[in-house]
Every structure is written in structure tokens, then in C-alpha cells.
Amino acid sequence: MWGGRFSEGPSQVMEEINASIDFDRHLYAQDIAGSKAHCAMLMKQNIITQEDGNAILDGLDTIQQEIDAGSFTFNRSLEDIHMNIEARLTELIGEAAGRLHTARSRNDQVATDFKIWVRDAIDDLDESVKALQSVLIDIADQHTETILPGMTHLQLAQPITLGHHMLAYVEMFGRDRSRLSDCRKRLNECPLGSGALAGTAFPIDRQQTAQALGFDGPTANSLDSVSDRDFAVEFLAAGSLLAVHLSRMAEEIVLWCTDQFQFVRLSDSFSTGSSMMPQKRNPDAAELVRGKTGRVFSALMSLTTTLKGLPLAYSKDMQEDKEPVFDAAQTLKVCLLAMQGMLEGAKFNTAAMKAAANKGFVTATDFADWLVREKGMAFRDAHHVAGALVKKAEDKGCQLDQLSLEDIQAIAPAATDDVFSVLSVESSVNSRSSEGGTAPANVKKAVADARRRFLK
Ligand code: ARG
């Protein structure tokens, strides 16, 4: 492609370090779309003839079919996807192919291809996150009244409803979608027409190409256009937080599948056995969702490190932008699908949850609140008294609602018979009806709100 200035070909090692075709072939559809838009614009501006332009457009269609069908031969000596396609175009249509690269550089070409690819990946991930939210909302809907112990420090804290627990993840994933959508909005300016870095002397129409490729408009500065990979960094940053959320949820599934918890049983299709211990039933998919998080974080670290020392404008370092993004996108996709599959087939053990909630004096706060509300005690004093009541129950080996009124009065003389109305886990969750609280009535409403906010 640049043979004019060179008398020797590249060394084997040069080809090895330089070639990107093994991974940037994933950009072929975006590259062809970009070339077609560019070609149509060159024709309209009379920069190339209709005849050459039509030959180019037909040739590009043929190449698209060849790659789709798997019959296209990629050649490493042609370096990257842009030159592989151009070389094939020359084979197909001859001399006219050489006119396609008028008023264009691979620098603005690759920036455009990559933006379209990331934009497509965002749209695809958004659908997958939405599908996961939908499963979580359905589970929440079925379990607005199912009680389990809520935890802080992984210690039993207060009773909550399973629906409330599921909707907590729906909120996280909602923020993930909003971050991806922000990233999409900011990236949607078209770099094509920036040339190598300085713009072009040809009378191009950047509005036309931007519009044809679904962008809101062209980028404002040609130097920035060819050196900007912020969109990829933002995508990986949003993806990393999505991975954090998936991993936290995966960790809970792993915990809940243990014999100690037994809160959930995954379907056979999402469990694995042990080759040695016949009794085992392992939540491998959840462990892998947790484990794959590192790949996504490392992609973010890799790309930010690649970019941080680069002067304007394009440097070949930037070719290293693609693999981390491709890998992160693919990783997130499979994790989302695995999480969705696990949850769709999961059986929740409501009896085990209830039994666990009835351990650990989880209504101690309710007792303290009752002393404040009904007996006018200061919360700090009530907290102290409730602590003493827990100690008493612990000594007696029973739960708070199994103590006698006399036992309670020995610690809180003001206590009256109606105290028992706040000591059960049911009354506890029912009473937590503040905005955003766990009460079944709230959760029922929150399910409807979530459907409206996230699934429409
Ligand atoms: N394969 C290159 C990349 O991915 C395309 C741009 C090459 N530009 C250049 N001036 N060598 O970054």
C-alpha cells in the first residue's frame, strides 16, 4: 500500500508485531458500512465518478457476502481489516478500487469503525442487562412476602423480603444501563472525514457520512477525532462496574447454594458435579461470573495505560485498543446470559430463608423502636435495653418472641402485652414501610414501578 517509498518488504517479526487482522477482522461489517457511506459521499460531491463509485459499492457488497459466508481469505501480510478489504476490492473491480481511499486515512477510518462497533456492543449489552432485570423483577413479584434475614457484615441484621433483595440488583443494573447509554450519547459523533489528522483538501460532506452511519453529526476537531478513544475507555469503565455488580450477585448465589444457607438450588443445567465427590453440586457458572470480573477490569487498565502517554494525534499504540474491548464485551455478554439462565431456573427455598430469619434476634431493632414509639424512651436508651433483652434470650436459648412478658418486664418494666406484635419477623417487615423500605406492600408497588422504569 505504501510500496512507493520502500525497497524491501517487512521482516517476519515486523509482520508479527504489526498485523492486527487476527483481531480487527471483527470490524469488517462496520468497516464496509463506513466505506459505503464514504463512497456515496464522494460520488455525490463529484470527487469520484458515478461509474467508479457504483463499482466500489457493488464490490463492497460482494466482500460483505464473502466474509459473512466465511469464504473470504484474510491475509496477514495485508496488516489489517482495512487493507484486506481494499486489496480484495482491487481484485474484484480493478483500478477503480484505488479511488475509495480518496479524502480518507486509516486513522479516521478505524476510529469510525471502532466507534460503530462499540455503539453496537452497547446496544447489545443493554438488551442483555434489560433481560436480566426482567427475570429479577419476575422473581421479586413472586416473592414480595418471602422473608429472609437481611445482613450487614454478613451477620444477621434485620428481616427483609426476597423481592426487596432482588430489586436492589435491579437498581444496580439500571444504573449500569444508564452509564452505557451516557457513553453511547457522547460517542455518537462521526470521525470520518478527519483524514490522517489535519482534515482534507477535498470538498467532502461530513454531515452526509455522519448521518448515513447513524451519528448525531461529525466530530469538531480532526486531531481529536483520530486520537480519541475516550468512548472505549468509558465503555470499559461502565462495563467494569457492571462486572462488579454481576460478581457481587454471583457471590451471593455461591453463598446461598451452600449447605449452610440452602436459600437457593440452581437447575441441573446450571450446576456441575465433581469428578471425585459424588455428592457435590457446584455453582460453577456463578463462580465463573465472579472470576471473569478480572478480565473486564484488566481491559480498562490495559487501555488507559496504552493511551496515557500518547502525543497527538494517532500512534500505532492505539491498535492495542481493540482486543481488550472485544474481550470485555464478549465476557460481559456471556456473564449476563449465565446469570439470566441461573436465575430463570433457580428454586428459592423459602422455608430455609424463614428459618434463618427466625434466628439471630433479628427483631431487636423493632423492640427498641417500639420502646421509643410507645413508651417515649430515647433511642440510645432503648438500644441498650434491647441489647439486654437479646442477652436474656441468648441465655435462655430462645428467640425474642418466645420470651414471656415477665422476662421482658424484668428488663423493660414499661413493657406491655402488645410488645409481642413487633417481635415477629412478619410484623418487622410489614412495619418497614418508609419510602424504599422492605415492607411487602412497598415491594409490590416497587415491582410495578420497576417494570415501568426499566422494561417498557
Ligand atoms: N490497524 C490500525 C489500527 O487499528 C489502523 C490504523 C493504522 N493507521 C496508520 N497510520 N498506520 O489502529
Side-chain angles (χ1 to χ4, degrees), residues 22 53 57 83 95 97 125 152 180 183 196 231 240 248 257-258 278 299 379 383 387 403:
D22 292 340
L57 292 175
M83 304 222 284
E95 195 250 334
L125 280 184
T152 59
L180 286 168
C183 168
F231 59 94
S240 291
R248 292 182 72 170
C257 283
T258 59
F379 181 74
H383 181 279
L403 290 166

Side-chain angles (χ1 to χ4, degrees), residues 20 24 79-80 82 106-107 110 314 316 318-319 322:
S20 55
D24 68 14
E79 235 184 276
D80 58 23
H82 322 297
R106 278 188 294 156
N107 296 351
V110 75
Y314 178 87
K316 197 62 173 264
M318 291 167 69
Q319 182 164 282
K322 290 167 206 65

Side-chain angles (χ1 to χ4, degrees), residues 2 18-21 23-24 27 79-82 105-111 196 229 314-322:
W2 47 72
N18 198 30
S20 55
I21 188 61
F23 49 87
D24 68 14
L27 295 174
E79 235 184 276
D80 58 23
I81 186 63
H82 322 297
S105 153
R106 278 188 294 156
N107 296 351
D108 59 342
Q109 189 179 357
V110 75
R229 294 294 182 273
Y314 178 87
S315 297
K316 197 62 173 264
D317 312 46
M318 291 167 69
Q319 182 164 282
E320 292 294 310
D321 58 1
K322 290 167 206 65

Side-chain angles (χ1 to χ4, degrees), residues 8 63 71 230 258 280:
E8 272 178 53
I63 294 171
S71 62
D230 291 3
T258 59
K280 291 282 284 214

Side-chain angles (χ1 to χ4, degrees), residues 10 17 38 40 42 51 88 91 93-94 105 118-119 182 195 212 234 266 277 308 316 375 417-418 423 439 456:
I17 194 171
H38 183 65
L42 294 176
E51 197 190 346
R88 179 65 182 140
E91 277 174 18
I93 67 167
S105 153
V118 171
R119 192 176 67 187
D182 278 350
E234 283 190 43
L266 300 180
M277 298 166 282
K308 80 169 185 64
K316 197 62 173 264
K375 306 297 169 190
D417 203 31
D418 51 330
L423 294 181
K456 57 170 174 36

